[in-house]
Amino acid sequence: MAKLTEKIVAITGNAAVAQAMRQINPDVVAAYPITPQTDIAETFAEFVADGLVDTEYVTVESEHSAMSACVGASAAGARVMTATSSQGLALMWEILYIAAGMRLPITMTNVNRCLSAPINIHCDHSDSMGARDSGWIQIYSENAQEAYDNVIQAIRIAEHKSVLLPVMVNMDGFIVSHSIERVELLDDEVVKRFVGEYKPVYPLLDVENPVTHGPFDGLGGFYFEHKKAQIEAIERSRKVVLDVADEFKRISGREYGCFEPYRLDDAEVALVVLNSAAGTSKCVVDAMREEGYPVGILKLRVFRPFLARELSEALKHLKAVAILERATSPGSFGPLYAEIRSALYDLEARPKMVNLIYGLGGREFRPEHAKEAFGVCLKVAQTKRVEKPLGYLGLKEVEVIS
Amino acid sequence: MKDLVEIRWHARGGQGAVTAAKFLAETALAGGKHVQAFPEYGPERMGAPIQAFTRLSTEPIRTYCSIVNPNVVTVLDLTLLDVVDVAQGFLPDSVLIINTSDKPSSLRGKLKLKGGKVFTVDASTIALEELGKPIPNTPMLGALIKVTGILGLGEVVKHFEEAFEGKFSPRVIEGNIKAIKRAFEEVKGE
C-alpha cells in the first residue's frame, strides 16, 4: 500500500473495503470466490491466509450459497460479513429476504454493476435497486473513503438492538471499486473499539437458552406481525443511522447524514444523485455557480429506509428537480424518481420533476451530462412545464430497433 | 505544479501502462498530493489498445470520469498512432510524450499536431537494454517526470524501491531504476 502516512494511503475502493473488514475482524465471511465476485473477497482471503484476522472464511460454490452460509453463521451468533456484485447479488435474491426476515445483522458490500443481458460487466445500479424491497438497509458511497467509512458504520447500524437488520453498502463498480484514490484509514484500535464486541441477541449456539430460528409461520401464525415488526425495525434505523454517524464523526472528523445537500439551500434547481455521479456533479455545480446559475445537488446516502419527509423538506423550495438514475424499471420510471416524486405529493407547492436515466452498463457520466441535466431543469423551471418526464443522458444517437 | 494535472496513458495490453498510471499516483500521494488512477476497463487482452488515467491535485478530486482534455499524454506504443486518436482533446499547453527513436518534429508532422509540446524517448530500446524486455512503462515514467516536473527523480526512485522490494528481484528493481534514470536523461524535446 502506498502511503503518505500510516493512515493516508492510495488504494482502490475494493481495497479500502477489505481494509475496513480487516479492522472489523468479523467471525465469519462466506463468499463465492470467482466472478462476479470482487477484489474485496480476494484481498480479505489474503488477510485470512496471512493470519491478520481471526475470521472463519467459507468459500462456497455460488452466491446463493454464500448468503445462505452467512444466514446460518449469523443465526448461530457470529458477526458476519460478505461482498458481492451484479449477477452475484441477483443470485442471492431469495436469501436476501431470509436474512432480513430473520433479523440477521449481516453487513455486505455490493459493488454496483449492471445485470445481463446483454452481457456487460460495468457499473450501474440495477443490482441493488432490484434488491430494494428485500428488507436490507441500503447505504450508497460516493468514493472509496465513503465506502470504507460506511462499512464501519454499517456494523453498528445492523447490530443495534433496536434494528437487527442486514445492511448493504454500495459503491460504483470500476469507477470507484477499481480506481486508486487517497483514503484516510482509522487506526485498527479505533475501529475495533468503535464496532465493539458483538453480542448476539438469540444465538443458536447458546445451548443453555435454546431458541428456534426460521420455522414455519403460516395461517395460524404471525407472519404478518413479523413483517410489521421488520417494518418498524427499519423505521427505527433512521435514528440509529444518524446516531452512529455522530459517533463516527467523533473518531474520524468526517460527517455523514442520510443525505448530503450540496449548495442546495439557495438553489432553484437541483439534481438528486447516488454514488460517484455526485462527485462529478458537484464540480459542475461549482462551475455553473460561477456563471450565476442557481444550481445544487442532493446526494442520497441512505435509500433504505427511505426518508420521504426529510427529502420533501430538503427539496420543497426548488422550482425543478431532475432525478438522475443509473437503473431502469422497464415499463415505468426509475425507482428513485417514483419514490421521491411520491414523497413530495403532499406538499402544497412542489417542484417540477423529471427522471433522467444515465450510465447504464457503465456508459460514462461526464460533466457535460450533469450540465445537460441542469439545462433541462432550468428550462422546466422557466417554462413551468415538463414536456418529457423521462429522458436519457449520454444515449448514442442510433436508430433503436425495438 | 498546477492545481490539477490530468494524464492519459495510451498503450497496448501488457506494456504496463496501468501499473505506471497507478505507480505515479502512489508516488504523488507519498508527496502529499490528492490522487486518482484508473484504467479504462475493456477486453483485457495482450496487445489490445488500452487507456489509463492519472489525476494529481493539491485539492480533493471529485471528478469520476475518463480524461478527455489531458495536460499530459503518453504513448507507449508507436503503432497506436494509426489506430487511436492519441491527440484527442489536446490543449494548446498539453504535453505529448511518445515512445519512439524518431525526433519530436517528425511525430508532430505525422500527427498534424498544432500547439502543445511533443517529446520523444526510445523507451523500448532503453527497457530492452536495461531489463532485457521491451516493457516501456518505467522509462516512460522517467521521461514524464522530466518533461512535466510533477515529481522529482529522487522521489520516484525511492518510492520504486519501497513499492517493489520483495515483489521483484533486486536485479529487476535495479534495471527499472536505470531505465527510469536513462529516459529522464535521454528524452528529447522540439
Side-chain angles (χ1 to χ4, degrees):
Chain A
M1 242 186 329
K3 46 183 119 169
L4 171 57
T5 66
E6 280 307 310
K7 288 200 278 183
I8 299 177
V9 295
I11 50 177
T12 62
N14 281 334
V17 168
Q19 286 295 331
M21 289 173 70
R22 179 185 61 74
Q23 294 177 315
I24 292 162
N25 192 6
D27 301 314
V28 175
V29 166
Y32 176 59
I34 60 168
T35 301
Q37 187 49 269
T38 64
D39 293 344
I40 298 169
E42 184 181 333
T43 309
F44 191 78
E46 287 174 17
F47 296 153
V48 175
D50 292 345
L52 299 175
V53 288
D54 311 309
T55 307
E56 180 75 33
Y57 194 93
V58 190
T59 51
V60 289
E61 71 284 6
S62 78
E63 303 274 359
H64 188 278
S65 303
M67 187 45 65
S68 299
C70 288
V71 163
S74 184
R79 176 179 273 163
V80 181
M81 300 183 79
T82 188
T84 191
S85 184
S86 179
Q87 307 295 135
L89 182 63
L91 188 56
M92 284 181 178
W93 194 255
E94 61 173 334
I95 315 299
L96 292 178
Y97 283 75
I98 292 170
M102 286 175 67
R103 308 288 301 276
L104 301 172
I106 298 162
T107 294
M108 172 164 70
T109 302
N110 176 54
V111 173
N112 283 120
R113 285 169 31 192
C114 69
L115 297 175
S116 298
I119 293 175
N120 177 307
I121 57 168
H122 299 285
C123 175
D124 74 30
H125 303 158
S126 305
D127 52 4
S128 59
M129 280 297 155
R132 70 187 187 275
D133 299 336
S134 64
W136 284 58
I137 291 169
Q138 284 196 2
I139 302 177
Y140 288 80
S141 321
E142 180 180 324
N143 49 39
Q145 182 73 62
E146 290 193 5
Y148 170 83
D149 291 349
N150 283 335
V151 166
I152 294 167
Q153 292 177 67
I155 296 286
R156 291 282 306 276
I157 298 163
E159 293 173 2
H160 195 281
K161 294 282 185 289
S162 76
V163 178
L164 293 176
L165 285 171
V167 179
M168 185 189 299
V169 174
N170 296 281
M171 69 167 142
D172 278 347
F174 294 106
I175 301 163
V176 172
S177 69
H178 288 61
S179 178
I180 281 190
E181 283 190 273
R182 176 173 162 139
V183 176
E184 199 173 327
L185 302 177
L186 297 164
D187 285 335
D188 290 0
E189 269 307 307
V190 169
V191 176
K192 191 177 170 187
R193 270 202 307 277
F194 184 79
V195 297
E197 194 187 333
Y198 178 48
K199 295 190 189 74
V201 187
Y202 298 110
L204 274 177
L205 291 182
D206 180 4
V207 289
E208 300 297 315
N209 301 287
V211 288
T212 302
H213 280 250
F216 184 66
D217 192 8
L219 286 180
F222 296 91
Y223 180 92
F224 201 167
E225 290 69 28
H226 278 124
K227 285 293 149 192
K228 179 64 170 38
Q230 202 182 320
I231 292 163
E232 286 175 8
I234 201 163
E235 289 296 325
R236 286 193 296 269
S237 73
R238 295 159 189 265
K239 181 176 181 306
V240 175
V241 168
L242 296 176
D243 290 348
V244 170
D246 271 352
E247 254 189 79
F248 188 77
K249 189 185 168 189
R250 286 203 285 277
I251 62 161
S252 67
R254 294 187 287 275
E255 207 161 328
Y256 288 93
C258 287
F259 54 83
E260 179 194 327
Y262 185 76
R263 306 187 81 163
L264 191 64
D265 285 354
D266 60 343
E268 290 179 18
V269 306
L271 311 181
V272 175
V273 279
L274 288 172
N275 282 5
S276 67
T280 307
S281 301
K282 285 175 189 169
C283 295
V284 172
V285 167
D286 290 350
M288 289 183 75
R289 284 276 181 158
E290 291 281 313
E291 295 167 27
Y293 293 105
V295 295
I297 297 279
L298 187 144
K299 178 181 86 183
L300 199 55
R301 174 176 176 245
V302 179
F303 178 57
R304 283 288 180 273
F306 187 72
L307 292 105
R309 193 170 48 77
E310 292 84 348
L311 286 169
S312 73
E313 198 60 34
L315 297 171
K316 69 177 183 188
H317 65 287
L318 298 161
K319 290 180 180 164
V321 176
I323 311 297
L324 265 55
E325 205 129 25
R326 208 164 198 153
T328 63
S329 179
S332 183
F333 293 99
L336 202 53
Y337 174 80
E339 295 199 23
I340 293 179
R341 193 173 150 93
S342 160
L344 270 60
Y345 183 80
D346 289 327
L347 291 175
E348 292 288 324
R350 307 179 275 271
K352 297 282 180 197
M353 209 170 270
V354 294
N355 193 190
L356 297 174
I357 310 290
Y358 75 98
L360 298 186
R363 178 67 49 79
E364 205 166 45
F365 180 75
R366 305 196 53 78
E368 46 268 37
H369 298 131
K371 241 179 254 178
E372 188 182 336
F374 279 124
V376 170
C377 287
L378 288 164
K379 187 174 172 220
V380 167
Q382 195 193 5
T383 60
K384 299 189 174 68
R385 274 192 55 206
V386 174
E387 276 174 25
K388 278 200 306 185
L390 183 61
Y392 302 86
L393 298 169
L395 201 60
K396 286 179 188 169
E397 284 178 22
V398 291
E399 194 185 340
V400 177
I401 302 161
S402 49
Chain B
M1 180 164 149
K2 287 202 303 188
D3 276 357
L4 173 67
V5 179
E6 297 189 302
I7 301 156
R8 191 171 69 210
W9 305 75
H10 291 281
R12 291 188 180 275
Q15 291 183 316
V18 175
T19 307
K22 290 182 173 180
F23 176 78
L24 183 66
E26 289 168 356
T27 312
L29 174 99
K33 294 287 183 293
H34 290 269
V35 301
Q36 196 186 58
F38 56 100
E40 176 191 68
Y41 280 90
E44 292 169 24
R45 315 186 298 272
M46 292 282 278
I50 64 125
Q51 290 184 52
F53 308 93
T54 309
R55 285 191 175 96
L56 310 176
S57 177
T58 49
E59 301 290 321
I61 298 165
R62 298 181 300 187
T63 306
Y64 287 92
C65 55
S66 61
I67 294 165
V68 292
N69 293 118
N71 304 107
V72 183
V73 178
T74 68
V75 182
L76 276 67
D77 193 299
L78 194 62
T79 65
L80 286 172
L81 300 189
D82 302 324
V83 188
V84 181
D85 180 10
V86 297
Q88 191 213 16
F90 204 64
L91 300 169
D93 57 352
S94 296
V95 170
L96 177 64
I97 310 165
I98 302 177
N99 172 17
T100 172
S101 55
D102 223 342
K103 289 197 303 280
S105 53
S106 53
L107 269 297
R108 178 182 285 282
K110 184 171 164 57
L111 287 166
K112 298 186 182 70
L113 200 64
K114 292 194 181 80
K117 287 183 191 157
V118 180
F119 295 87
T120 60
V121 63
D122 194 356
S124 295
T125 301
I126 293 174
L128 201 57
E129 288 174 6
E130 302 300 338
L131 298 163
K133 285 182 203 164
I135 296 181
N137 61 348
T138 47
M140 286 303 282
L141 200 58
L144 186 149
I145 58 168
K146 172 73 174 288
V147 303
T148 61
I150 52 177
L151 289 169
L153 181 61
E155 287 178 83
V156 171
V157 168
K158 180 169 169 277
H159 185 241
F160 194 90
E161 284 169 344
E162 286 169 4
F164 295 105
E165 192 191 354
K167 288 184 193 163
F168 293 157
S169 71
R171 197 180 57 82
V172 171
I173 292 177
E174 197 188 329
N176 274 291
I177 288 171
K178 273 189 188 163
I180 293 171
K181 286 181 175 169
R182 258 188 72 182
F184 189 90
E185 295 303 326
E186 292 176 19
V187 60
K188 295 188 290 266
E190 288 168 287

